[in-house]
Amino acid sequence: MKKMWRGLTAGVLGISMLIGSLGSVSAAPAPKDIQGHWAQKQLQSWLDKGYLGGYPDGTVKPNKAITRGEYVALINRLFGFTESATLSFTDVKKSNWVYSEVAKAVKAGYIGGYENNTFRANNPLTRQEAAVIAAKLLKLSTSSTPLKFKDNAQIAAWAKVAVASAAEKKIINGYPDGTFGPKKSLTRAEAVGIISNSVAHKPATGGVMPTPAPTATPAPSATPVPTTSPTATPVPGGSGGGGTGGGGGGGNVTLPSVSNVTYGHVGSVTADVYVTPSVTGAVYYVVAPYSVNVTAPSAAQVKDGMINATTAGIHSGKIAASGNAPVAFSVYGLNANTDYTVYVTLTDASGNWSGVTPLQLKTAAGSAWSVAQVGITNVTTTTADVYAAYGQTGTLVTPLKYVVVNAADADPTALQISQGKNSAGVTLTAPWTGTLTGSPVVKHNINLTGLTANTAYKVFFITDSNGSLSPVELLRIHTK
């Protein structure tokens, strides 16, 4: 009973911080974490009008990811939706605060669930999902408007028309570098801008009317679009629960936290994950098959590479981290076209632990000749032993190409990797590129030499079957 009450309290607190109150409001002082932010003016306007709430510590957390449930709650409020549908989603219970918001959203017809009859209210909303919602809300044109983003290929087929239409109306913008970032999680600040723009395009038929935000999309930086920022939780005695309670002795000690937890490139058997730690320490992670309504592992279990008390994760690891400096790591050992959850936690030098942040991702579909596995065997100061395998039993011999670049360098395209080139189009030589022509299924070892000590690298893999390229796989290594 206590556990259920804590969950209900956390849900009510979360939504109250998200949407504030529409009662009598007055101008509020600008919270420190939005001062100088690209969306400061719009965020402050929403705070002043009571559309958006802050957190107990006086922050707004503009770069925190917004979940699907939180996003529909904001839309329902700003658009004035009140009618509800009957829900059958297996992961939305009537006892959950989000039930009524999802019911309104479904009735309004601007969002649905997944093919397995789940809604995934706690999942971060992606930018392409936000575009689809905007298109449905505003009944935007379904004609084939040309997409003009550099990363058009990353936009899902079901979202292409919506992205094009929403971008044309400047409801959701791309980045100055010409990309859209369809799979990036939407932040609270971006949500405010997009919903403001959406309401401004809707005829006056109810709801409230915030000021439009014509420049709601921020300029990108080396830091990925932020995602979740969990409540920090200590791990007493190196074990115990990794739940979302605050507190626990320690006086004025500020516990660690992670933000900007998101993914970049996702292949068939690998995924690139980004994290920003609040303090210097170590980031631990573990990968688990995605499952609805599963209990997240504790921080101590993540540290030990476990997804529960008895089950080891598919892949786990640890990476050194500096406070507020983004870090990236590769997860591997995955299967094609499969959903996974990556659990991330952070510890500082004093042994304090953050909460556990989940990141859901889905690998790309593969083919009979795709890269089937990659991994790391050993890393020294100037060398690294990695391995790769491709194909299935019966697959014809297919060239498997790899390219090695510094982690700070731009990613080469699939075609460039297949040609042994870097992102600048320069043809590389050994040991920075190579071709394996061994048998399929067999694990092929690759010894990378000539590396620099204490340096991060990216190793890209691809197979080429008579001009048909497999999904790119990315493996990050860091020399000692």
Side-chain angles (χ1 to χ4, degrees):
M1 182 65 184
K2 290 182 179 179
K3 182 176 180 182
M4 182 178 72
W5 175 249
R6 285 198 299 269
L8 289 171
T9 302
V12 172
L13 177 61
I15 193 62
S16 66
M17 290 188 294
L18 175 77
I19 62 178
S21 170
L22 282 180
S24 175
V25 295
S26 59
K32 290 183 179 180
D33 65 339
I34 71 169
Q35 293 178 16
H37 193 277
W38 63 267
Q40 178 179 347
K41 182 177 179 180
Q42 187 65 34
L43 289 166
Q44 188 63 53
S45 174
W46 275 44
L47 288 168
D48 292 344
K49 295 174 181 177
Y51 303 159
L52 185 71
Y55 287 79
D57 61 0
T59 63
V60 174
K61 304 189 190 306
N63 294 330
K64 181 181 178 181
I66 193 165
T67 66
R68 285 166 54 85
E70 291 170 339
Y71 195 70
V72 299
L74 278 177
I75 288 179
N76 292 341
R77 193 168 206 183
L78 272 293
F79 274 74
F81 294 133
T82 57
E83 295 185 16
S84 299
T86 300
L87 300 182
S88 60
F89 298 125
T90 59
D91 61 341
V92 181
K93 306 301 181 185
K94 288 187 177 181
S95 57
N96 194 321
W97 69 265
V98 81
Y99 183 92
S100 62
E101 301 299 340
V102 175
K104 294 173 189 175
V106 172
K107 180 67 175 181
Y110 65 82
I111 195 170
Y114 291 85
E115 64 280 355
N116 61 350
N117 200 32
T118 61
F119 184 80
R120 305 177 191 177
N122 294 325
N123 279 17
L125 186 82
T126 65
R127 285 171 54 81
Q128 63 184 0
E129 287 176 326
V132 171
I133 288 174
K136 290 183 177 180
L137 276 171
L138 305 176
K139 296 179 172 57
L140 298 181
S141 172
T142 57
S143 60
S144 184
T145 304
L147 281 165
K148 301 177 181 179
F149 300 109
K150 292 180 180 178
D151 55 351
N152 287 345
Q154 296 181 25
I155 301 174
W158 48 264
K160 286 184 182 294
V161 172
V163 170
S165 298
E168 183 181 35
K169 295 285 187 182
K170 299 192 181 301
I171 294 166
I172 182 169
N173 302 313
Y175 294 102
D177 66 353
T179 62
F180 180 75
K183 297 178 181 178
K184 289 182 177 179
S185 298
L186 195 73
T187 66
R188 281 163 59 90
E190 288 179 315
V192 165
I194 293 168
I195 295 174
S196 293
N197 293 340
S198 296
V199 174
H201 279 81
K202 184 183 183 341
T205 55
V208 293
M209 184 65 70
T211 304
T215 56
T217 305
S221 64
T223 304
V225 174
T227 59
T228 52
S229 179
T231 304
T233 305
V235 182
S239 62
T244 56
N252 295 323
V253 173
T254 300
L255 294 174
S257 63
V258 291
S259 60
N260 300 4
V261 182
T262 188
Y263 55 82
H265 177 79
V266 178
S268 291
V269 295
T270 62
D272 209 26
V273 178
Y274 301 93
V275 178
T276 300
S278 64
V279 297
T280 297
V283 170
Y284 289 85
Y285 57 91
V286 65
V287 183
Y290 172 76
S291 180
V292 177
N293 294 331
V294 69
T295 301
S298 68
Q301 288 170 339
V302 174
K303 175 180 178 293
D304 294 335
M306 306 293 288
I307 58 176
N308 56 45
T310 59
T311 308
I314 295 169
H315 176 62
S316 61
K318 166 189 174 183
I319 185 168
S322 298
N324 298 313
V327 296
F329 56 87
S330 296
V331 295
Y332 51 91
L334 313 180
N335 293 321
N337 198 32
T338 303
D339 288 298
Y340 292 94
T341 303
V342 183
Y343 295 103
V344 181
T345 188
L346 168 70
T347 181
D348 62 17
S350 299
N352 299 307
W353 289 82
S354 73
V356 175
T357 298
L359 172 67
Q360 187 189 346
L361 57 87
K362 184 174 184 177
T363 52
S367 63
W369 64 85
S370 292
V371 179
Q373 61 173 316
V374 297
I376 303 169
T377 304
N378 185 52
V379 178
T380 69
T381 55
T382 58
T383 66
D385 294 321
V386 300
Y387 61 84
Y390 74 92
Q392 305 168 1
T393 301
T395 299
L396 297 176
V397 173
T398 304
L400 191 159
K401 198 86 174 185
Y402 66 87
V403 163
V404 184
V405 300
N406 189 283
D409 294 344
D411 295 355
T413 65
L415 181 60
Q416 288 172 329
I417 298 167
S418 71
Q419 296 172 342
K421 298 178 179 180
N422 63 16
S423 62
V426 176
T427 300
L428 304 175
T429 58
W432 307 107
T433 187
T435 302
L436 305 176
T437 56
S439 301
V441 182
V442 177
K443 185 187 295 185
H444 301 279
N445 296 313
I446 305 168
N447 178 237
L448 304 176
T449 60
L451 308 180
T452 302
N454 193 29
T455 302
Y457 295 92
K458 295 181 290 190
V459 187
F460 297 91
F461 302 85
I462 198 168
T463 55
D464 183 350
S465 177
N466 297 319
S468 295
L469 303 179
S470 72
V472 173
E473 305 302 334
L474 169 58
L475 195 63
R476 289 181 180 268
I477 58 175
H478 196 293
T479 52
K480 295 181 179 179

